[in-house]
Amino acid sequence: MKKSLILFLCVALTMGFSSVVSANEFELNSHSAVLMEQSTGKVIYEKNPHDSLPLASVTKIMTMLLALEAVEEGKASLDDMMTTSKRAMDMGGTQIFLEHGDQISLRDALVAVTVGSANDASVVIAEHIAGSYEGFIDRMNERALELGMENTKFVNSSGLPVEGGSNMSSAYDIALMSRELLKHEIVYEWTTIQWDTNFMGKVYLSNTNMKFLRNYPGADGLKTGWTTEAGYCVSATAKREDTRFIVATMKSENPDLRLKDVSTLLNHGFGSYKTVTINKKGDIIQTVEVDKGKNLTVDIVVKEDVSALMDRKQQENVEHRVNLPEKIQAPLTKGQVVGNIEVLYNDEVIKTVELIVNEDIEKAGVFSLMGRMFKNMLERVR
């Protein structure tokens, strides 16, 4: 691949070059906690990050993730109408009081899960997405392994304790799946709903994360959880300018102490670091020639944000470069990976972001290719 250096920045990159803040730095009530920067996945703070504990309704982050991934893949639509099963109707805990046979759209069910932590809606979603409740639980555990959630085990889609055990996870694993969910930006439309006095024409829906949303500047999500066994858990996220942090805490004694821990960690993150965005998802990086294609060229875009995390107290040199071939062979499919951008620190690659084509391009027919050859011959004669 041809390599071309395209930018040189003066920023301080913390990905692997500064130590994680130790658990002794802050006095937290939570048994475990993680502070992660969203765009890079860099962990800034950790306390007992890999202890496996009950995570209560924070479980629903994975339920939401699998549903939105199914929508993205074209396997489901937010407008799908789903039928409530008896299993869903019989769920305990927080509900929107669905009756056996009730119809609900996937969109409304996701709002009910996100805002009100509705257990009955989580079951309806699971059965619709996987075809069976058991199949959905299997997929939850498969996706957890794919994300590197090594200390997680799901037994249901809601987080309620059940006979035979509870859903288990760690603060680090919660941050991982939260980061993945936040790639689906529609989530913020739901996580910021504070209440709905007449949801679906029958239910008062109140956000379980209301106090955080109202009191912390930049707060816009994500999911709370509580059971007697799990204590108070949360995955919280907030954004200021281009910087977003995720805080996962587990087993706090009460919701006020949980919120205090979240605020303490977010204050540390925003006060000490900022995110520098080099390229935004979808930015056109280069136009490349297409060999034997119906189109002669294609625009190459970045698959996700290209960013670096800057320590506000330091200055270091960071580079990034584009790796792309001079020509790409047709046919091409929209989203096809054809190269990458590398972010470097002292000539060491510390992050790689894929480059993709932004449209389908079919292979040119024989007559089109012959016409191009004839045109080239005429231009040479001139």
Side-chain angles (χ1 to χ4, degrees):
M1 282 189 173
K2 180 182 177 182
K3 295 188 176 182
S4 58
L5 191 62
I6 64 171
L7 187 63
F8 189 81
L9 296 175
C10 259
V11 297
L13 199 74
T14 63
M15 297 169 55
F17 310 115
S18 63
S19 60
V20 177
V21 176
S22 70
N24 296 326
E25 182 78 10
F26 306 112
E27 291 185 7
L28 299 184
N29 175 262
S30 304
H31 172 89
S32 58
V34 162
L35 171 66
M36 176 184 286
E37 194 274 332
Q38 190 264 338
S39 68
T40 62
K42 171 68 180 177
V43 173
I44 307 301
Y45 169 90
E46 59 185 26
K47 174 186 177 183
N48 301 322
H50 303 298
D51 284 5
S52 187
L53 301 166
L55 73 161
S57 284
V58 178
T59 292
K60 294 184 177 82
I61 291 173
M62 181 61 79
T63 302
M64 295 154 59
L65 174 61
L66 292 185
L68 288 176
E69 287 181 339
V71 170
E72 184 178 58
E73 293 163 6
K75 298 175 181 177
S77 166
L78 292 176
D79 296 322
D80 287 350
M81 295 305 296
M82 308 178 297
T83 303
T84 304
S85 67
K86 189 175 185 307
R87 186 205 293 258
M89 181 188 72
D90 290 340
M91 288 295 293
T94 308
Q95 304 175 60
I96 54 170
F97 307 106
L98 293 170
E99 297 290 339
H100 187 198
D102 279 355
Q103 294 280 298
I104 183 172
S105 70
L106 178 56
R107 184 190 307 274
D108 282 345
L110 283 167
V111 170
V113 164
T114 307
V115 179
S117 199
N119 296 319
D120 46 1
S122 79
V123 176
V124 177
I125 291 169
E127 292 172 338
H128 179 73
I129 295 299
S132 73
Y133 192 65
E134 291 73 20
F136 190 81
I137 307 310
D138 288 342
R139 182 58 189 137
M140 290 176 77
N141 286 304
E142 289 169 3
R143 193 71 179 101
L145 289 176
E146 291 167 2
L147 292 173
M149 298 168 62
E150 297 179 356
N151 296 291
T152 297
K153 178 67 176 177
F154 294 111
V155 296
N156 61 45
S157 65
S158 65
L160 285 174
V162 295
E163 185 178 346
S166 300
N167 291 342
M168 304 291 287
S169 191
S170 67
Y172 177 72
D173 287 1
I174 289 171
L176 283 181
M177 69 173 175
S178 300
R179 182 176 181 237
E180 196 68 20
L181 176 62
L182 293 176
K183 293 178 181 179
H184 302 269
E185 294 190 358
I186 193 171
V187 166
Y188 302 116
E189 295 181 19
W190 304 330
T191 57
T192 51
I193 296 172
Q194 295 192 20
W195 65 81
D196 186 335
T197 58
N198 195 32
F199 179 69
M200 295 181 63
K202 65 175 184 177
V203 179
Y204 176 80
L205 204 62
S206 177
N207 199 312
T208 60
N209 207 20
M210 181 89 72
K211 202 165 185 179
F212 176 59
L213 294 173
R214 284 185 167 184
N215 292 285
Y216 194 85
D220 54 8
L222 182 61
K223 188 72 196 74
T224 63
W226 176 84
T227 64
T228 301
E229 179 186 27
Y232 290 86
C233 310
V234 72
S235 175
T237 182
K239 183 178 181 181
R240 297 180 186 173
E241 297 178 338
D242 284 340
T243 306
R244 175 177 294 282
F245 287 103
I246 299 164
V247 174
T249 69
M250 305 186 75
K251 208 164 189 177
S252 295
E253 292 176 11
N254 62 58
D256 289 336
L257 290 173
R258 176 179 64 187
L259 178 59
K260 181 181 177 182
D261 287 353
V262 167
S263 299
T264 295
L265 293 178
L266 286 173
N267 287 342
H268 169 69
F270 287 119
S272 302
Y273 302 96
K274 69 179 293 186
T275 304
V276 176
T277 302
I278 301 167
N279 292 106
K280 287 281 191 181
K281 177 181 177 180
D283 281 354
I284 298 174
I285 299 302
Q286 203 167 308
T287 300
V288 175
E289 184 178 345
V290 179
D291 187 28
K292 297 186 176 71
K294 277 191 173 182
N295 295 8
L296 298 177
T297 61
V298 65
D299 290 334
I300 308 301
V301 302
V302 285
K303 189 175 182 180
E304 59 185 72
D305 289 353
V306 182
S307 55
L309 191 61
M310 185 178 78
D311 187 327
R312 294 180 185 273
K313 298 177 182 178
Q314 301 175 10
Q315 290 286 312
E316 299 290 350
N317 294 325
V318 175
E319 303 167 305
H320 88 264
R321 65 190 175 200
V322 171
N323 298 323
L324 276 173
E326 293 182 359
K327 288 186 180 182
I328 304 174
Q329 186 80 35
L332 296 170
T333 303
K334 184 177 181 179
Q336 182 176 328
V337 177
V338 292
N340 60 54
I341 286 183
E342 296 174 322
V343 182
L344 302 94
Y345 176 85
N346 289 341
D347 295 324
E348 178 186 354
V349 177
I350 45 79
K351 183 176 182 179
T352 302
V353 176
E354 292 177 335
L355 295 174
I356 58 177
V357 297
N358 71 342
E359 61 179 320
D360 295 331
I361 295 184
E362 297 177 7
K363 194 169 184 177
V366 174
F367 292 112
S368 294
L369 294 173
M370 290 178 64
R372 289 177 193 172
M373 289 175 60
F374 183 68
K375 182 180 179 181
N376 290 336
M377 288 173 61
L378 288 176
E379 288 178 351
R380 290 194 191 101
V381 170
R382 292 174 187 169

